[in-house]
């Protein structure tokens, strides 16, 4: 069951935060393929590139729309510093997401910790 806090957070992200941040050229974006529409879906997020991997934590875990899209098709793109990279996303429920957040950029991690209700680590193996 979705809490009021979750509903408000998701509404603010979808209709305010994501709309603004997705237009910023420096913002990291995750592009998945819509599991129903087949259309590209872009989500602003925070994370960190480590070698040929990009790590981030989903604040709503398996209930995040982009996580559901990844489960249907793990082939994604990530925009880092204005450049798009193709990759394959892996959901890592066995990873300690709270510990992972400590290794990621703190501004985004603070928001994920504050509003997140079901944290899930995601790793994208970058191809290019």
């Amino acid at each position: 069951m979705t809490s009021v806090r979750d509903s408000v957070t998701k509404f603010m992200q979808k209709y305010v935060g994501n709309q603004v941040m997705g237009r910023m050229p420096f913002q990291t974006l995750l592009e998945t393929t819509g599991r129903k529409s087949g259309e590209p879906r872009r989500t602003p997020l925070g994370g960190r590139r480590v070698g040929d991997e990009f790590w981030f934590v989903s604040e709503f875990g398996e209930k995040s729309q982009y996580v559901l899209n990844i489960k249907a098709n793990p082939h994604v793109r990530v925009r880092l510093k204005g450049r798009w990279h193709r990759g394959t996303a892996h959901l890592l429920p066995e990873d300690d997401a709270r510990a992972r957040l400590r290794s990621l950029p703190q501004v985004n991690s603070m928001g994920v910790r504050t509003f997140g209700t079901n944290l899930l680590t995601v790793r994208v193996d970058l191809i290019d």
Side-chain angles (χ1 to χ4, degrees):
M1 181 163 180
T2 303
S3 72
V4 172
R5 182 176 106 176
D6 286 356
S7 296
V8 170
T9 300
K10 288 177 184 178
F11 177 86
M12 292 302 291
Q13 286 175 332
K14 183 174 183 177
Y15 295 106
V16 180
N18 289 358
Q19 298 301 315
V20 173
M21 295 307 292
R23 289 177 171 76
M24 303 297 218
F26 60 85
Q27 175 64 48
T28 299
L29 295 176
L30 172 71
E31 183 181 85
T32 60
T33 300
R35 63 195 177 282
K36 296 176 185 174
S37 70
E39 297 293 321
R41 300 293 180 215
R42 293 181 177 173
T43 305
L45 47 76
R48 173 166 283 139
R49 184 176 184 163
V50 179
D52 289 332
E53 300 171 336
F54 179 73
W55 291 83
F56 65 97
V57 174
S58 168
E59 62 194 321
F60 299 113
E62 305 251 349
K63 294 184 179 183
S64 292
Q65 295 300 309
Y66 63 82
V67 169
L68 294 170
N69 289 342
I70 288 169
K71 288 174 89 172
N73 179 354
H75 300 288
V76 301
R77 292 195 320 153
V78 180
R79 187 178 77 180
L80 301 169
K81 299 180 181 176
R83 182 171 176 258
W84 285 100
H85 304 269
R86 292 178 301 130
T88 303
H90 303 275
L91 307 177
L92 304 171
E94 69 282 357
D95 191 68
D96 182 343
R98 292 202 179 278
R100 180 70 56 192
L101 281 172
R102 290 192 288 276
S103 72
L104 300 177
Q106 291 304 299
V107 172
N108 181 74
S109 294
M110 182 179 67
V112 172
R113 273 192 305 275
T114 301
F115 298 109
T117 56
N118 188 21
L119 305 181
L120 174 66
T121 300
V122 181
R123 182 189 78 231
V124 177
D125 295 335
L126 302 171
I127 298 167
D128 58 5

